[in-house]
Amino acid sequence: MPFPCSRQVPMAAGDTEAAQQQIDEIEALSSIYGEDWCVVDEDEKIYCIKINDCLDQPKWTLCLQVILPPGYPTAEPPIYQLNAPWLRGQDYTELANSLEEIYIQNLGESILYLWVEKIREVLIEKAQSSDPEPDIKKTSEEVDEDGGDDFDLDCQPIHEDPIKMLNYITSESQEVDEELPPIHHGNPITDRRSTFQAHLAPVVTPRQVKRVLEKLYENKKISSATHNIHAYRIYCEDKQTFLQDCEDDGETAAGGRLLHLMQTNR
């Protein structure tokens, strides 16, 4: 369902300039990319664009999701995620470095168009190379079998960690105080001197995710655990897309695997 929001934040002169630049950039991107451009949440400045290799029957596709903070583009970079199950290892690193380089070379300027076309350039190069067409099912099976540390999924954060992104989305400036959903606690399981316990809550907004985490961390046993991983998926019915993220908390790929499990059982 769509996210309810009634957010009113006083703007300084710099923020006003940035806001106008954002408006101009979004209008241009919407005009250029048409149906491939998706507004996930206008109030929270969350957008998504589907990018492919420009073939009649695209082989390589990727979804770029961005959140525009108040200071973008004059003082802050966009917060972004790349959604592509095949994006792993060296491909992931090289693309991330390319986007970071574009940002650094264009400080203070609007860069989303440059990012989109850079990603498209990479996809076209893969389509024209000898790289085999991505087999999403095979990729998932191989990861499950080898337990590799470079596990990647269709919601891998690159520029910002999930907690920072969640804190921005659920800024204290929001006036609507979301109701804390019910939290269900699983039975603890001990395996090889490690104890695991699952917690589940139905959430429909990012703020509810934050409230659930805050409530759980009130428990000293939970807050002092070695690793607290989590994942969430929120379906935006009007946009027919998911807002999703995960946190490993130092346990390599654990949050990603949890999110992958949620994706395969939707």
Side-chain angles (χ1 to χ4, degrees), residues 83-103:
N83 302 351
W86 54 266
L87 190 63
R88 305 170 58 195
Q90 186 176 354
D91 287 336
Y92 167 87
T93 302
E94 290 179 353
L95 184 53
N97 289 340
S98 295
L99 299 187
E100 298 293 344
E101 184 177 351
I102 289 173
Y103 170 69

Side-chain angles (χ1 to χ4, degrees), residues 29-153:
L29 293 171
S30 177
S31 176
I32 293 171
Y33 298 114
E35 293 183 356
D36 289 334
W37 176 262
C38 174
V39 179
V40 178
D41 191 307
E42 182 68 43
D43 293 322
E44 297 294 351
K45 306 297 183 184
I46 305 175
Y47 306 95
C48 184
I49 180 169
K50 182 178 180 181
I51 310 167
N52 60 50
D53 54 27
C54 289
L55 299 179
D56 292 336
Q57 295 181 335
K59 295 181 180 179
W60 299 87
T61 62
L62 184 150
C63 182
L64 171 66
Q65 180 175 301
V66 296
I67 298 178
L68 305 184
Y72 170 80
T74 55
E76 294 181 81
I79 300 169
Y80 70 92
Q81 295 177 343
L82 297 175
N83 302 351
W86 54 266
L87 190 63
R88 305 170 58 195
Q90 186 176 354
D91 287 336
Y92 167 87
T93 302
E94 290 179 353
L95 184 53
N97 289 340
S98 295
L99 299 187
E100 298 293 344
E101 184 177 351
I102 289 173
Y103 170 69
I104 293 173
Q105 292 176 346
N106 298 272
L107 288 174
E109 300 179 12
S110 301
I111 60 169
L112 295 186
Y113 175 79
L114 298 178
W115 275 6
V116 171
E117 293 309 309
K118 179 59 183 180
I119 294 171
R120 192 185 310 281
E121 177 185 320
V122 170
L123 298 181
I124 291 175
E125 289 177 356
K126 295 185 73 66
Q128 294 175 342
S129 71
S130 58
D131 290 353
E133 184 176 346
D135 186 336
I136 305 304
K137 181 178 180 181
K138 181 178 180 181
T139 299
S140 299
E141 290 174 347
E142 288 175 349
V143 170
D144 290 341
E145 291 173 0
D146 63 24
D149 291 342
D150 62 348
F151 175 77
D152 204 337
L153 60 153

